[in-house]
Amino acid sequence: MPGRQLLMTFPVTATSHTLADYRARGGYGTLSKVLATMKPEQVTKEVAASGILGHAARPSPPAASGRSCTSTTVSRTTCAPTPTKASRHLQGPLDPRERPAPPRRVDGDRRLRAAGEECLRLHPRRVRPALPAPRRSDRRGLRRRLLGPSILGTGFALDLVAHRGAGSYVCGEASGLLTSLEGRKGYPRNRPPRLTVRGLYQRPTVVNNVETLSNLAGILSMGAEAFRKIGTAKSPGTQLVSISGHVARPGVYELEFGYPVAKFVYEDCGGVLGGGKLKCIVPGGISTKVLTAAELEPVTYDHASFQKAGSGLGSGGMIVIAEGTCMVRLLQVMLRFYHHESCGQCTPCREGMGWMHQIIDRIVGGDGRPGDIDRLIEISEANDGTTICGMGDAAGYATVGILAKYRDEFEYFVEHKRSRCDGRLEVPVHA
Ligand code: SF4
């Protein structure tokens, strides 16, 4: 096992998702304890003391946003934050596109408790067969007084509404998610105002993904001090990592922060499929810069170590790339995706993605020009910091990251009008 585990602590069986099994494992025990014994400020303080960072592509402490959300709303006329007793929303993307949601129920978060209506919204962004199960069981939970106007008879009110999305990548961005939830095109919004001031339906809204929320029950159950002993000083806890690509044992693993990444790839996941050699990994979703096999050796699974190596943890969607894979074709797939998913609001992203896609298609088609590689870098750099959301930047990071390490493959492709690696993305067959 890759370190200690906090979320994947039970065997997955045909009934492990049911409310009965969850309660038999002690589920909602923390909720009862917290509702009976803790004030909202104590909960916020405990979560802050745990040092947990949000398990999203751009991590931030969830307690900080919870605090600002509970205390302010915004004036529609002056945009000034003011104290409020009005309703608040906690928004939890249940289905981050780059990896599956964790096998745990929403439990034990009382940070938003205050006078007024409170609403927890879960937003599964893709329609798929797994989603009806939590929705059915959540309704059962409601009947059993785990949700509603007076949870467990304490007077604490929390509603949970599950929404299905249509599957747009940019709706994984917090403000785009809220806009789509309001029934409009999922366009990300310019900030300020922050979402904790003016979010869903103009109300203060905290957006944390379900993996982050799932950790809160554990923190409140074991206490912040015990939680901080798991992982590293700057990245306490664990993270769910979905590993795919040319790897022998793909799947979702829970990794303790600080765990050696090479050990994880080579030992826990069985190394490269078919006994091949590792070329590189995409560490945390395609927006993170690739790390070569040699660069990976000293890296441990935590934010500081990945930053030191020149990349990031991102969303925990790791892709293993085997030796022999064509990096030109890989970048083509990535840029096609970014172009397709650009919402089109910002000129640098809308036009830049299209331009980059056109250039990479030209190279792969055998019509590459000598200046094409530098042009890809120029467009990437021009996009950096000029767009509403991070997607414009992200495509540039991925492109610059691959070109910095595998430029020779691109030059070969332009010069010889074919791939040095036979243009394959599939894992090569090894004897
Ligand atoms: S950066 Fe791209 S995806 Fe993000 S808001 Fe602008 S056009 Fe839309």
Side-chain angles (χ1 to χ4, degrees):
M1 275 302 145
R4 281 168 288 184
Q5 305 211 296
L6 296 172
L7 299 176
M8 297 170 75
T9 52
F10 56 94
V12 176
T13 65
T15 58
S16 56
H17 67 286
T18 62
L19 192 58
D21 274 33
Y22 185 63
R23 298 204 87 159
R25 294 193 299 269
Y28 297 115
T30 307
L31 176 67
S32 317
K33 187 186 101 182
V34 167
L35 286 175
T37 62
M38 292 177 83
K39 292 200 162 110
E41 311 78 67
Q42 289 174 295
V43 174
T44 307
K45 207 170 155 190
E46 196 69 8
V47 173
S50 75
I52 186 175
L53 294 170
H55 290 207
R58 291 190 176 176
S60 59
S65 49
R67 231 181 336 240
S68 57
C69 182
T70 52
S71 59
T72 59
T73 187
V74 69
S75 156
R76 286 185 182 228
T77 46
T78 65
C79 290
T82 51
T84 180
K85 294 285 185 188
S87 64
R88 284 159 297 281
H89 303 280
L90 173 60
Q91 226 283 350
L94 180 62
D95 186 17
R97 187 125 182 220
E98 285 166 323
R99 63 204 168 110
R104 193 179 175 105
R105 289 165 177 281
V106 176
D107 188 351
D109 182 3
R110 200 197 184 196
R111 288 174 302 139
L112 300 182
R113 183 178 182 185
E117 177 203 349
E118 308 197 6
C119 179
L120 173 63
R121 291 182 181 271
L122 298 181
H123 185 92
R125 293 191 296 102
R126 278 188 300 173
V127 177
R128 60 182 193 185
L131 290 177
R135 297 186 71 196
R136 274 201 304 275
S137 46
D138 288 336
R139 281 201 289 273
R140 271 184 234 127
L142 189 58
R143 283 203 298 274
R144 292 172 199 218
R145 298 168 61 234
L146 292 167
L147 292 166
S150 180
I151 295 176
L152 300 170
T154 59
F156 172 56
L158 182 80
D159 288 330
L160 185 149
V161 184
H163 293 268
R164 292 183 182 191
S168 164
Y169 182 71
V170 81
C171 289
E173 196 276 342
S175 62
L177 184 65
L178 299 187
T179 312
S180 74
L181 201 52
E182 290 168 352
R184 296 182 282 132
K185 276 187 184 173
Y187 283 158
R189 304 177 198 167
N190 265 319
R191 271 154 280 173
R194 288 172 295 145
L195 300 179
T196 50
V197 176
R198 183 187 282 178
L200 185 65
Y201 307 126
Q202 307 294 318
R203 295 290 189 189
T205 303
V206 171
V207 181
N208 282 140
N209 74 28
V210 168
E211 185 183 338
T212 311
L213 298 177
S214 297
N215 270 286
L216 301 185
I219 291 169
L220 296 170
S221 163
M222 71 174 76
E225 205 181 316
F227 184 82
R228 285 207 90 115
K229 289 184 183 148
I230 301 167
T232 67
K234 289 191 176 166
S235 302
T238 63
Q239 177 151 336
L240 296 180
V241 179
S242 73
I243 185 165
S244 60
H246 304 151
V247 63
R249 289 195 289 275
V252 181
Y253 295 76
E254 185 175 6
L255 249 69
E256 182 175 352
F257 284 117
Y259 194 79
V261 180
K263 187 167 186 273
F264 172 60
V265 172
Y266 293 120
E267 294 179 25
D268 298 298
C269 301
V272 173
L273 190 62
K277 277 192 177 166
L278 181 68
K279 182 170 191 174
C280 60
I281 64 158
V282 182
I286 64 168
S287 306
T288 53
K289 289 183 178 171
V290 294
L291 292 176
T292 64
E295 288 171 329
L296 199 63
E297 286 300 329
V299 177
T300 52
Y301 198 84
D302 57 88
H303 296 284
S305 187
F306 270 96
Q307 270 169 17
K308 197 172 160 201
S311 188
L313 285 186
S315 59
M318 191 180 287
I319 306 168
V320 173
I321 313 285
E323 197 63 74
T325 308
C326 176
M327 299 305 280
V328 185
R329 282 278 293 114
L330 182 71
L331 185 62
Q332 184 191 28
V333 171
M334 289 177 172
L335 290 178
R336 183 194 298 153
F337 172 80
Y338 280 120
H339 182 207
H340 181 261
E341 295 292 338
S342 170
C343 80
Q345 281 191 100
C346 321
T347 307
C349 177
R350 184 186 62 241
E351 303 302 323
M353 296 300 127
W355 199 3
M356 290 164 88
H357 185 190
Q358 213 176 9
I359 291 171
I360 196 76
D361 274 359
R362 189 163 67 214
I363 295 175
V364 173
D367 295 319
R369 300 169 192 165
D372 277 350
I373 300 167
D374 288 332
R375 186 78 67 229
L376 285 172
I377 295 172
E378 270 171 38
I379 301 168
S380 300
E381 288 171 353
N383 275 6
D384 199 6
T386 59
T387 52
I388 295 173
C389 84
M391 204 171 98
D393 305 345
Y397 298 153
T399 304
V400 170
I402 287 178
L403 286 173
K405 289 163 192 174
Y406 299 100
R407 187 181 174 115
D408 54 336
E409 284 191 30
F410 288 75
E411 287 172 345
Y412 186 97
F413 216 128
V414 171
E415 191 185 334
H416 298 274
K417 304 190 183 307
R418 66 181 174 81
S419 172
R420 206 171 66 185
C421 315
D422 297 332
R424 288 181 302 200
L425 283 181
E426 301 77 21
V427 63
V429 179
H430 296 272

